[in-house]
């Protein structure tokens, strides 16, 4: 049976890697549905059509209208990566003004396995709310790939590869 994964992304530079991540997940026979924050959707505007062709599902960044049918199959799991400082804190605080944050928040209550990997710089993580948000989400059952064995903050303006392999390894374990 094919598993359905919701792949969510916020507006951080690694979001540009989503097409490759989708392909890698599909190689594992995972049915992928892509959701983006509104700003991430703007960043990927030129890639939306190709992502929809690749996945066979519409890319979503907005809530659906009440009473309208769902355009995605139900999720077996969620990977939210990259998650920005804003999205991580909003999610932990239950501020669901963005579609992907709302779905991720609801997934906790539905018991849907959810993995998150932030993409934040070392200046942002000095804010005490960020550590509280990580602890809140972990306490709610979200697997947050942050710190040793996960994403480690870079210095502001420092460019380095996003550790997608860590998230994909976690998703591979989710399938078994």
């Amino acid at each position: 049976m094919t598993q359905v994964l919701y792949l969510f992304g916020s507006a951080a530079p690694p979001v540009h890697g989503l097409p490759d991540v989708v392909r890698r997940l599909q190689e594992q026979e995972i049915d992928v549905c892509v959701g983006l924050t509104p700003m991430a959707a703007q960043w990927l505007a030129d890639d939306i059509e190709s992502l929809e062709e690749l996945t066979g599902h519409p890319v979503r960044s907005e809530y659906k209208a009440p009473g309208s049918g769902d355009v995605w199959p139900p999720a077996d799991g969620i990977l939210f990566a990259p998650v920005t400082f804003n999205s991580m804190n909003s999610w932990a605080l239950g501020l669901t003004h963005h579609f992907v944050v709302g779905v991720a928040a609801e997934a906790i209550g539905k018991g849907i396995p959810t993995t998150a990997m932030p993409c934040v710089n070392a200046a942002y993580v000095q804010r005490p709310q960020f550590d509280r948000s990580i602890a809140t989400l972990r306490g709610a059952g979200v697997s947050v790939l942050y710190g040793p064995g996960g994403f480690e903050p870079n210095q502001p303006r420092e460019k380095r590869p996003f550790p997608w392999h860590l998230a994909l390894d976690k998703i591979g374990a989710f399938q078994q």
Side-chain angles (χ1 to χ4, degrees):
M1 179 170 142
T2 301
Q3 301 239 333
V4 176
L5 178 77
Y6 291 178
L7 176 61
F8 293 163
S10 298
V15 79
H16 292 286
L18 287 186
D20 181 55
V21 172
V22 167
R23 285 183 201 91
R24 291 167 67 186
L25 289 165
Q26 289 175 329
E27 287 171 3
Q28 298 177 46
E29 298 185 14
I30 297 174
D31 185 11
V32 183
C33 300
V34 175
L36 303 167
T37 61
M39 185 56 69
Q42 287 182 29
W43 285 18
L44 293 179
D46 292 340
D47 296 318
I48 298 290
E49 188 176 317
S50 63
L51 278 167
E52 290 177 341
E53 288 174 12
L54 185 61
T55 64
H57 302 288
V59 172
R60 294 188 58 195
S61 61
E62 304 273 334
Y63 285 103
K64 65 183 181 72
S68 63
D70 226 331
V71 295
W72 286 354
D76 295 305
I78 296 174
L79 171 59
F80 198 160
V83 187
T84 60
F85 178 81
N86 184 52
S87 292
M88 185 68 74
N89 288 324
S90 294
W91 183 10
L93 293 169
L95 304 175
T96 61
H97 51 283
H98 291 150
F99 164 72
V100 293
V101 174
V103 173
E106 189 176 37
I108 293 169
K110 290 180 169 181
I112 298 170
T114 302
T115 298
M117 190 160 57
C119 182
V120 294
N121 70 42
Y124 278 123
V125 301
Q126 298 307 307
R127 301 273 310 148
Q129 181 57 49
F130 190 74
D131 285 337
R132 288 192 293 267
S133 293
I134 296 290
T136 296
L137 292 170
R138 284 180 173 157
V142 176
S143 177
V144 181
L145 304 176
Y146 176 75
F151 178 82
E152 300 209 27
N154 51 291
Q155 293 303 312
R157 301 192 204 316
E158 177 187 0
K159 305 249 188 276
R160 62 178 169 175
F162 190 66
W164 281 111
H165 66 283
L166 298 173
L168 294 172
D169 287 349
K170 181 71 176 176
I171 297 308
F174 140 80
Q175 275 195 293
Q176 298 169 2

